[in-house]
Amino acid sequence: MNRLGRTDVEVSPLSFGGAAIGNLYTEVGEEQAHEAVAAAWDAGIRHFDTAPHYGLGLSERRLGAALREYPREAYTISTKVGRRLEPVPDATGDDLANGFAVPADRRRVWDFGADGVRRTLDASLERLGLDRVDVVYLHDPDDHAEVAFREGYPALEKLRSEGVVGAIGAGMNQAGMLTRFVADTDVDVVLCAGRYTLLDQSALDDLLPVAVECHTSVVVGGAFNSGLLADPGPDSTYNYTQAPPELLDRALRMKSLADRHGITLRAAALAFCAAHPAVASVLVGARSADEVRDCAEQFATEVPMAFWQELLESGLLSDKEPR
């Protein structure tokens, strides 16, 4: 287990991301979602992440129900604030426009205000069936920086001082604003998705060095860049859209190299994310027990130094990467 920043909150090196069991893109049955969480537990995963955004609260409800079987002190859980859910009376249609195969019976309202942070967290606790969570992130404040720094962050800081949560931070798909959170506030952890991978190391420019300097932990999500690094092929996605040809070619060359060294590209992608000293945990989303077991197996695979050396020599990886 790794400690987040200077807090007492601990996370397992591999964490379970709950977006998929919130019906990301396609439906996941209740039993399948439950089995995915149980497989994560059996694999030694003890940190679980979710958010109101994931399936309009479905992920939180499912994760809370599945974790009820285990001692509360044996795991840590994170959720997010910034998108408040409001009911939509007589709703029709689905939420696929936002990526989730659920009825559109609620709507998301951006709210990084102090009152909104507390209201959103209270609603999350109710859906989770918990009296506390261990980590709370400001979720995607990209277009709401002013209110997030002026009101959202101080509200989280107050919740932490009151002992309502153990650690606070921000979660985003970019590194720039996360670097500002680390440098200019007293966050304990940031969740950086997709910006520190075998295909995108932009977090290495500022975020990761500043995090080391400030003793702030980083949780890395999106290790597979939404699929391209999991199993590259013509239909692969990169950052949730069709993978560009040049990146597909690069991923296929990496896969060929991994094959020659007797490992999978998935194992290399996970090992790469975990290697940086700022990284406390690698967050992997999964929609089934089989996917969880595969991720745990790949995460535990030892990647030979010869693979990294050849990756560098081939120009597929920058020599600035820490190994």
Side-chain angles (χ1 to χ4, degrees):
M1 299 289 281
N2 297 321
R3 186 165 294 185
L4 295 181
R6 298 182 178 88
T7 74
D8 293 328
V9 178
E10 294 184 330
V11 295
S12 48
L14 183 65
S15 298
F16 179 92
I21 64 168
N23 286 7
L24 181 64
Y25 303 132
T26 58
E27 289 187 15
V28 173
E30 292 289 337
E31 184 177 355
Q32 181 176 324
H34 189 95
E35 289 174 350
V37 177
W41 188 275
D42 291 343
I45 293 173
R46 294 296 181 268
H47 182 62
F48 301 83
D49 176 78
T50 184
H53 172 56
Y54 303 154
L56 294 170
L58 179 63
S59 172
E60 289 182 318
R61 290 193 293 272
R62 284 178 163 175
L63 188 59
L67 289 175
R68 220 155 286 148
E69 298 181 4
Y70 308 106
R72 179 62 186 90
E73 66 277 7
Y75 65 88
T76 55
I77 189 169
S78 57
T79 192
K80 307 177 184 75
V81 295
R83 289 176 174 91
R84 187 163 41 80
L85 301 183
E86 291 186 347
V88 177
D90 304 317
T92 59
D94 57 43
D95 190 53
L96 280 171
N98 294 298
F100 294 92
V102 296
D105 56 359
R106 293 172 178 79
R107 67 186 183 102
R108 301 167 180 85
V109 178
W110 288 105
D111 191 346
F112 290 95
D115 181 62
V117 165
R118 283 188 173 265
R119 288 171 59 193
T120 303
L121 180 57
D122 285 345
S124 289
L125 290 172
E126 184 174 347
R127 285 188 291 270
L128 287 163
L130 298 173
D131 60 2
R132 62 181 175 86
V133 291
D134 302 282
V135 187
V136 177
Y137 297 105
L138 298 172
H139 197 186
D140 296 337
D142 306 65
D143 299 324
H144 309 271
E146 182 181 350
V147 66
F149 281 97
R150 187 184 69 243
E151 293 190 42
Y153 167 74
L156 289 189
E157 196 174 49
K158 188 174 183 183
L159 288 167
R160 183 180 59 187
S161 69
E162 294 171 352
V164 178
V165 300
I168 61 173
M172 306 180 71
N173 293 292
Q174 58 150 295
M177 194 183 295
L178 290 182
T179 305
R180 181 182 168 194
F181 273 107
V182 173
D184 296 346
T185 74
D186 189 32
V187 293
D188 307 297
V189 57
V190 291
L191 170 51
C192 181
R195 303 287 76 82
Y196 188 61
T197 73
L198 285 174
L199 293 172
D200 183 339
Q201 295 95 46
S202 52
L204 196 65
D205 295 335
D206 295 304
L207 176 59
L208 293 174
V210 172
V212 170
E213 181 181 344
C214 295
H215 304 285
T216 303
S217 295
V218 177
V219 173
V220 172
F224 303 138
N225 281 124
S226 82
L228 182 54
L229 286 170
D231 186 19
D235 297 325
S236 294
T237 56
Y238 175 80
N239 291 351
Y240 307 105
T241 61
Q242 183 73 29
E246 64 275 11
L247 285 182
L248 174 58
D249 177 69
R250 187 175 164 201
L252 287 169
R253 290 170 63 197
M254 288 180 171
K255 182 180 185 299
S256 178
L257 180 58
D259 290 343
R260 291 203 304 273
H261 284 271
I263 60 169
T264 66
L265 182 58
R266 299 189 305 284
L270 293 171
F272 177 82
C273 293
H276 195 281
V279 175
S281 187
V282 179
L283 180 68
V284 178
R287 63 179 60 248
S288 70
D290 286 343
E291 287 187 5
V292 172
R293 285 189 283 265
D294 178 72
C295 285
E297 180 181 347
Q298 303 309 317
F299 190 76
T301 299
E302 183 175 349
V303 179
M305 287 300 299
F307 168 81
W308 301 118
Q309 188 62 38
E310 192 171 345
L311 203 64
L312 289 167
E313 292 172 353
S314 67
L316 290 171
L317 190 63
S318 167
D319 61 7
K320 69 180 179 179
E321 310 305 333
R323 284 268 59 84

